[in-house]
Amino acid sequence: MNIAFDPAAAVMDLPRRDALDKLTGRTRYTVDLIGPGMLHAIIVRSTVASGRIVKLDLSKAQALKGVRAIVTHADAPGLHGIGIADQPLFASDVIRHHGEPIAAIAADTEEIARAAAALVEIEVEPLAPLLTMAEALEPGSPLIHPGWQDYEVLFAGAARGGNAAWEARVVRGDTDAAFARPDVTVVEDCFRVGRQSHVPFEPRCAIASFEDGRFHIQCSTQVPWTVRSITAKVLGVAPSRVRVTVPAVGGGFGLKFDCTIEPVAAILAKKTGRTVGIRNSREEEFLTCLCRENAEVRIRSAVTAAGEIAGREATVLMDCGAYGGEQIFLTTMTAHTLGGNYRLGSVKLNSRAVYTNTPPNGAFRACNGVYNTFFLERHTDNICAAIGMDPMEFRKLNVLGDGSLGATGQVFQGDVLRPMLERMEAFRDEVPDRRKAAGNRLYGRAATVGTWFVFVGPSSATVNLNIDGSATLVTSGVEIGQGTMVQAMPQIVSAVLGIDPADVIVKTADTDASGRDLGVGGGRTTVSVGSAAKMAAERVREQVLEIASEMLQTPSTKLVLAKGRVEIAGRPGSGMLITEVIRRAEAIHGPVSGVGSFTAPGQPSLPGCAAGHFIDAIDIPVFTVHDCEVAVDPDTGHVEILSYKVVQDVGRALNPRAVRSQIQGGVAQGIGYALHEQITIGSNGGIEQPGFEQYLLPLAEDVVPVEIVLHEGAPSIGPFGAKGAGEIPIMNVGATVACAVSRAIGKPVAELPLTPPRVLSLLRGKDTVGSLDHISWS
């Protein structure tokens, strides 16, 4: 059956339906639901980074009036993880990081629970912690996980051993031959970045109950199905025994792409027979926040005088902290971010996740890509300086285009990046530069490119057509503030069914009501959940047109759905309200509904190129070009952003207003990473920035309005040609600011963030990174 309709009908500047409630404080988040009538839980955490638990005495805490239950490793002995199951819910006999959970207490009030925590007696035999990746990789260093070989391997194929938790490798072509060529210049660099904290305004929190043999967890999460499966694994129950529902989520940025405190609430709920609420304090969030990981790289390229990149080799070290966690998966990204942007004659990349005795790290918006783009684009500028080529011309010469071979051997489709660079050049020429605004300060300007990709993976959707002409969309998609569930999803369903988007009801995520979903992250919701929703709506559309065809005695191919009516094409007013068709359909067949599903179709890569990768080739590449002007005060090292421009590949912008908002927000967050947000690890292994007094976020005066061009038309398998737009805006900010600052001060920049003291060190000719000799090429 022909069910064609105009894709442009899905494009609109639909406002957020939840905006007023959020602005006026009426929205109820999970953290708002924790209150009277339930028990309150807190976690007893380690105050050392490494040690053996000699004694754990809970008796005084258990005797405190109002304490209802205390749980430890004995109550949840299972291990969980990504790729390898190496992480316990509670430390058993070994402590591996400062802040590691040792026990959890449920009491009548949070105050009683905290008082009980102070009564827990823990005796620890301290061990010397390994707080840096260099220390962890030093020959003869103690193993943070002596029993690493005994861990369950959940995804095979990676190199592992010692304090290297996981290594993903790419080898394509002969790099040895490339570097041996007599006509190449070899450029070698080392770079380093620190951690970044997500700081969503709602902390991690959960409410759990146990009834009729099943757990029900309400939580602030991006991944309800991950919470379901990990909770089941560590508690040793079938996943069907766990139901997860998600109220409004107060931000995530990747922090809530993991499962941390939810199983704790669940096990306490079962033990007490009561509903249990748990929430992190702001200090706990900072100290255990699953930061964007600190990382280091050694990278070298063999480049001809004409600008051809004959070969590239790099090794990236990613600090996963005490447990593998999401860094195991994120090693995959290096092939597509550090190995992206440019055509390479040959390439060898190693991406190594390293255990240290520090708090575990996790996913953060454009995870891995933010720092790998900084590494790559600063290296690119250094190449241009070495061979004497203009940086913009070098980029236009070498960027990926139609038919280009990626690092893992996949063939890219469409000429996207070069036209985007040309558009940026024209964009820059439309207005005068801000050099005069720099005054007596040092002025610099730079443009960079970036390659990201949409995580696709499984999603499902059901659309129920209601008797009043509205539609209910049921998915596991989560609205975390990005707007997808309140803008793109109603737009997609309404465009297919010809109804007002205000008449599309979007249900909040419930694992009992919706099919499995990978979760919200990687820019995947519009693509994956949107594609499933579009398919489900199309199946509803088929049923409506079939019934309407009989009622109007007109072939369905000549019918259109628009404005809540079914009309004969070209004859307005010839049809009927959709509600009439629904009533007829229910009388004949019953309620009208449709189910849709979507998953990654899978792009081919060259066999044997990639090992240890969860994603060998990318289904939907997303590209971006950023341009930045800066002024640097030579006396203080302060960096001011004078202007910021973005040309972003969006496929088709279903909601240009929402996409522009994501770009503005992503750049603001990236400015924090580039200039302000610094996390350090103290001698005790703990994070030294426990609050906003120490962790400096960008303020309103630090952020500039972003000038934006949406580049449309690049190939995409997303609904109506859409691509994810929320991840990539942050990706190039650190790189672009760093390149601009380097040009302003005439010194190489090899480390972020560019705080005033660090910039002053660079101005005085100090190398802040060094040679990073602990990073091997193989």
Side-chain angles (χ1 to χ4, degrees):
M1 178 184 292
N2 179 14
I3 60 164
F5 48 91
D6 183 9
V11 178
M12 58 188 82
D13 275 327
L14 182 70
R16 296 182 62 114
R17 60 176 63 176
D18 59 349
L20 183 60
D21 282 347
K22 286 184 173 177
L23 285 170
T24 56
R26 289 198 296 261
T27 300
R28 300 277 286 170
Y29 301 93
T30 303
V31 73
D32 298 315
L33 304 178
I34 299 174
M38 64 180 67
L39 299 179
H40 299 263
I42 66 99
I43 295 173
V44 180
R45 299 181 182 274
S46 167
T47 56
V48 301
S50 181
R52 292 188 181 89
I53 299 175
V54 176
K55 174 184 175 184
L56 178 59
D57 187 349
L58 306 174
S59 59
K60 292 180 182 178
Q62 289 168 328
L64 186 65
K65 184 178 180 180
V67 171
R68 303 301 173 186
I70 301 179
V71 294
T72 65
H73 178 76
D75 298 282
L79 299 177
H80 65 93
I82 299 173
I84 46 176
D86 63 353
Q87 185 167 2
L89 191 60
F90 299 103
S92 54
D93 55 342
V94 177
I95 291 169
R96 293 188 173 92
H97 69 89
H98 185 282
E100 181 159 18
I102 295 174
I105 301 171
D108 292 343
T109 68
E110 185 175 323
E111 292 74 20
I112 294 173
R114 292 197 179 279
L119 298 175
V120 173
E121 296 181 7
I122 307 172
E123 184 180 334
V124 176
E125 176 192 341
L127 300 174
L130 302 173
L131 301 182
T132 69
M133 293 186 285
E135 292 173 351
L137 296 176
E138 184 74 23
S141 289
L143 296 181
I144 293 173
H145 292 264
W148 65 269
Q149 292 173 304
D150 299 326
Y151 290 142
E152 180 187 4
V153 177
L154 307 173
F155 184 88
R160 300 169 54 223
N163 286 325
W166 193 272
E167 183 168 309
R169 295 175 178 170
V170 172
V171 178
R172 178 175 60 75
D174 188 345
T175 55
D176 291 340
F179 281 91
R181 282 172 51 170
D183 62 336
V184 300
T185 297
V186 176
V187 180
E188 181 174 333
D189 287 307
C190 294
F191 300 101
R192 180 169 61 202
V193 294
R195 301 185 182 201
Q196 184 183 22
S197 183
H198 310 73
V199 202
F201 75 85
E202 183 191 25
R204 284 170 291 174
C205 50
I207 300 169
S209 59
F210 184 75
E211 188 175 344
D212 298 330
R214 298 187 74 215
F215 297 93
H216 177 204
I217 301 173
Q218 300 176 74
C219 55
S220 184
T221 184
Q222 298 171 228
V223 285
W225 283 83
T226 298
V227 171
R228 179 182 186 260
S229 62
I230 290 180
T231 299
K233 185 172 182 62
V234 298
L235 269 58
V237 301
S240 60
R241 295 294 181 185
V242 182
R243 176 193 179 197
V244 179
T245 57
V246 186
V249 176
F253 308 116
L255 171 65
K256 298 169 183 175
F257 205 76
D258 205 339
C259 179
T260 53
I261 62 176
E262 296 87 351
V264 174
I267 197 166
L268 285 167
K270 182 179 181 182
K271 195 161 188 175
T272 62
R274 299 270 301 278
T275 299
V276 175
I278 186 170
R279 60 185 165 198
N280 277 350
S281 67
R282 183 57 63 182
E283 182 175 1
E284 285 177 304
E285 283 290 89
F286 273 111
L287 297 181
T288 65
C289 70
L290 301 173
C291 299
R292 185 193 303 281
E293 66 276 12
N294 50 300
E296 302 166 342
V297 70
R298 289 180 73 186
I299 181 171
R300 61 187 178 192
S301 297
V303 188
T304 68
E308 173 202 355
I309 308 172
R312 173 163 291 155
E313 295 182 342
T315 297
V316 178
L317 299 187
M318 305 164 58
D319 191 340
C320 56
Y323 298 102
E326 289 158 353
Q327 267 55 51
I328 299 298
F329 174 77
L330 299 185
T331 57
T332 287
M333 312 301 189
T334 296
H336 312 300
T337 53
L338 191 66
N341 290 4
Y342 305 109
R343 299 189 308 276
L344 305 173
S346 58
V347 59
K348 182 187 295 182
L349 301 173
N350 303 310
S351 189
R352 196 171 295 144
V354 181
Y355 287 128
T356 61
N357 288 122
T358 63
N361 290 312
F364 193 138
R365 194 177 197 171
C367 40
N368 175 289
V370 172
Y371 58 76
N372 270 329
T373 301
F374 162 65
F375 298 159
L376 178 57
E377 291 302 280
R378 282 294 304 120
H379 181 60
T380 299
D381 271 12
N382 290 346
I383 289 171
C384 294
I387 65 174
M389 182 176 284
D390 178 78
M392 180 64 82
E393 294 306 313
F394 180 89
R395 286 174 168 86
K396 288 194 293 184
L397 174 68
N398 283 291
V399 290
L400 296 166
D402 190 41
S404 294
L405 206 61
T408 61
Q410 85 169 91
V411 179
F412 283 86
Q413 299 177 357
D415 234 350
V416 185
L417 263 176
R418 184 181 173 90
M420 290 173 66
L421 280 166
E422 292 169 346
R423 180 65 185 90
M424 180 59 83
E425 283 187 300
F427 197 14
R428 288 166 58 157
D429 292 340
E430 290 171 5
V431 293
D433 65 37
R434 300 292 310 281
R435 189 182 300 267
K436 289 183 179 179
N440 295 325
R441 295 171 295 173
L442 304 173
Y443 170 84
R445 184 172 201 169
T448 67
V449 300
T451 305
W452 184 243
F453 60 102
V454 175
F455 302 177
V456 278
S459 289
S460 64
T462 300
V463 171
N464 299 314
L465 196 56
N466 304 315
I467 196 70
D468 64 354
S470 65
T472 301
L473 174 63
V474 182
T475 75
S476 282
V478 178
E479 177 55 48
I480 62 171
Q482 81 279 31
T484 308
M485 302 306 296
V486 294
Q487 290 172 301
M489 293 304 117
Q491 288 175 222
I492 291 168
V493 173
S494 70
V496 175
L497 297 182
I499 61 177
D500 193 299
D503 291 329
V504 178
I505 303 158
V506 181
K507 296 289 290 180
T508 56
D510 181 342
T511 57
D512 274 6
S514 53
R516 193 169 76 86
D517 188 89
L518 195 61
V520 179
R524 67 176 302 277
T525 306
T526 296
V527 170
S528 293
V529 180
S531 293
K534 180 172 177 283
M535 178 186 290
E538 286 171 347
R539 289 175 173 169
V540 168
R541 179 186 175 93
E542 288 180 7
Q543 297 171 61
V544 169
L545 291 178
E546 181 181 351
I547 296 296
S549 174
E550 296 175 2
M551 295 175 72
L552 294 172
Q553 294 297 295
T554 303
S556 61
T557 54
K558 295 183 178 181
L559 298 179
V560 295
L561 294 175
K563 298 180 180 179
R565 293 181 59 84
V566 184
E567 303 282 14
I568 299 172
R571 294 173 56 188
S574 60
M576 63 187 70
L577 292 170
I578 195 172
T579 51
E580 297 178 53
V581 182
I582 297 169
R583 283 195 292 271
R584 176 64 176 164
E586 290 202 357
I588 299 173
H589 303 297
V592 181
S593 66
V595 176
S597 60
F598 179 83
T599 194
Q603 286 292 320
S605 61
L606 285 179
C609 276
H613 286 73
F614 292 76
I615 302 170
D616 287 346
I618 54 184
D619 291 291
I620 308 178
V622 188
F623 302 104
T624 193
V625 178
H626 286 212
D627 174 86
C628 176
E629 293 178 278
V630 301
V632 182
D633 189 320
D635 296 320
T636 67
H638 178 265
V639 177
E640 180 186 356
I641 308 246
L642 301 176
S643 75
Y644 208 95
K645 294 178 171 63
V646 173
V647 177
Q648 182 164 314
D649 164 29
V650 296
R652 183 195 294 268
L654 298 184
N655 192 312
R657 173 205 296 242
V659 174
R660 290 175 183 275
S661 295
Q662 286 295 316
I663 293 172
Q664 177 69 55
V667 170
Q669 203 168 38
I671 288 172
Y673 185 70
L675 298 178
H676 306 288
E677 300 177 44
Q678 185 167 27
I679 290 176
T680 53
I681 303 295
S683 58
N684 68 346
I687 290 173
E688 294 184 306
Q689 291 74 26
F692 292 117
E693 296 85 358
Q694 302 85 8
Y695 190 74
L696 304 181
L697 294 167
L699 304 175
E701 62 184 11
D702 299 313
V703 178
V704 296
V706 180
E707 302 166 72
I708 299 166
V709 171
L710 304 182
H711 181 84
E712 297 192 288
S716 175
I717 58 173
F720 307 108
K723 294 187 177 185
E727 294 276 325
I728 199 170
I730 193 177
M731 198 170 76
N732 277 60
V733 185
T736 313
V737 171
C739 288
V741 168
S742 179
R743 293 180 192 180
I745 66 176
K747 304 286 185 181
V749 171
E751 188 170 15
L752 293 178
L754 287 168
T755 59
R758 184 163 288 150
V759 174
L760 281 176
S761 292
L762 293 172
L763 284 164
R764 293 166 182 162
K766 295 181 180 178
D767 182 352
T768 64
V769 173
S771 59
L772 303 184
D773 293 332
H774 58 281
I775 304 179
S776 63
W777 292 113
S778 59

